[in-house]
Amino acid sequence: VEYTPEELRKRKQGKGVWRLPPDYDGHARSPVPRFTTLTESQLKELAAYFKSWGEALIRVLVPGAHVFVASNPLVSFMVSDSLNAAGFQRRGEVIRLVRTMRGGDRPKGAHNNFPETSVIPRSLFEPWLLFRKPFEGRIQDCLYEWGTGALRRPSEGGPFPDVFASGVTPIAERNVGKHPTIKPQRFLRQIVRAVLPLGTGVVLDPFAGSGSTLAAANAVGYRSIGIEIVGEYCLIAKRAVPKLAALTFEDE
Ligand SMILES: C[S@@+](CC[C@H](N)C(=O)[O-])C[C@H]1O[C@@H](n2cnc3c(N)ncnc32)[C@H](O)[C@@H]1O
């Protein structure tokens, strides 16, 4: 919804799904999508969209392939149901701990009258839903035949966890990949690396935006394919991918 031409037009005025967070410290904020604005019929469309997307996706994945879907606490259950209906197995979810600048937890127009109330929890995480395409036989057969079925461990000593302290995308990355919802490299590299358990195969990002997932794939030495519907974002990604991929972090 938030990337339709109409909503992208409204975004320029901080209207529609894109709302300006409160300006509490004097800094101008960029609009962020607020999914509480979705109508009943948009929610139905969302469920139908992810079912048909899931059906299209499952056809191009190898058996045992893993799928991460960045979501949000309000609609993640619908996305999950739709992907389940499309034939995927749910394999849990990864929590990206991130303090976003979303406002709107106070009663609109009456917050002075009800100073001690929060209408909705102040979200401090982003759920990344995890699914797997079903396969025949044992995990080891799938690993031998397709190189999938499992996740890659961060190191031999530790399993892949489901909570990551992430934080917001650093300004240096946002300046390179000028996209409204660019995800941070440090977090993405850990997710992308995990998706190919033996390090072989191709990573697909069908909603590539700034190309941050493709950059993360390059950084960890994987091949990748990105698809993006907005031409302007494709051009941004073309320039951003090598720059984002070249970033290094002390703890990597
Ligand atoms: C949430 S953003 C992805 C941001 C990206 N992960 C990043 O870090 O820059 C979703 C992207 O999907 C694109 N998109 C939406 N519908 C699409 C479609 N049907 N096909 C391809 N891209 C689409 C949007 O234009 C938007 O750039």
Side-chain angles (χ1 to χ4, degrees):
V1 170
E2 73 274 30
Y3 284 99
T4 53
E6 197 193 339
E7 289 292 341
L8 283 178
R9 247 194 322 275
K10 289 189 196 162
R11 178 177 178 267
K12 299 205 167 102
Q13 291 108 45
K15 293 207 171 118
V17 174
W18 296 93
R19 297 293 165 96
L20 278 166
D23 181 11
Y24 62 83
D25 55 2
H27 289 282
R29 307 264 170 227
S30 303
V32 289
R34 276 260 303 279
F35 296 103
T36 43
T37 65
L38 296 181
T39 61
E40 214 33 54
S41 80
Q42 282 176 320
L43 289 171
K44 279 202 183 113
E45 263 178 63
L46 181 143
Y49 180 89
F50 276 99
K51 171 135 185 296
S52 57
W53 176 71
E55 287 163 355
L57 182 65
I58 210 161
R59 287 201 302 270
V60 302
L61 298 180
V62 296
H66 277 91
V67 180
F68 279 103
V69 184
S71 191
N72 71 72
L74 289 183
V75 297
S76 61
F77 70 102
M78 297 180 90
V79 176
S80 192
D81 268 359
S82 297
L83 291 187
N84 199 46
F88 285 98
Q89 301 168 326
R90 187 175 154 109
R91 301 290 291 172
E93 69 186 47
V94 164
I95 300 300
R96 173 185 166 219
L97 295 174
V98 55
R99 200 185 169 89
T100 56
M101 284 295 144
R102 255 157 245 253
D105 82 300
R106 296 188 178 274
K108 207 171 176 185
H111 63 267
N112 288 334
N113 302 347
F114 302 98
E116 293 188 16
T117 62
S118 243
V119 175
I120 197 165
R122 171 82 160 74
S123 186
L124 296 173
F125 76 97
E126 186 175 74
W128 284 57
L129 310 177
L130 181 59
F131 303 90
R132 191 173 64 181
K133 175 168 168 169
F135 56 89
E136 307 260 312
R138 301 168 302 173
I139 285 275
Q140 52 175 295
D141 302 325
C142 190
L143 281 164
Y144 280 128
E145 187 171 357
W146 302 104
T148 54
L151 293 166
R152 191 167 182 184
R153 296 167 90 89
S155 67
E156 267 186 39
F160 180 77
D162 64 5
V163 178
F164 287 83
S166 164
V168 296
T169 308
I171 187 84
E173 292 177 36
R174 283 190 275 134
N175 285 340
V176 170
K178 287 197 185 300
H179 186 280
T181 54
I182 179 174
K183 307 288 180 193
Q185 280 300 295
R186 276 166 92 110
F187 170 72
L188 277 180
R189 289 181 189 179
Q190 297 175 85
I191 296 294
V192 167
R193 188 179 179 281
V195 107
L196 298 178
L198 307 181
T200 54
V202 180
V203 173
L204 170 66
D205 185 354
F207 302 102
S210 64
S212 56
T213 308
L214 314 179
N218 284 4
V220 301
Y222 293 174
R223 286 189 300 149
S224 61
I225 296 171
I227 303 170
E228 171 54 54
I229 204 167
V230 177
E232 185 192 334
Y233 296 155
C234 290
L235 296 175
I236 288 173
K238 219 171 158 185
R239 284 192 296 269
V241 168
K243 291 186 185 157
L244 293 171
L247 294 173
T248 53
F249 302 100
E250 266 170 26
D251 54 355
E252 265 183 353

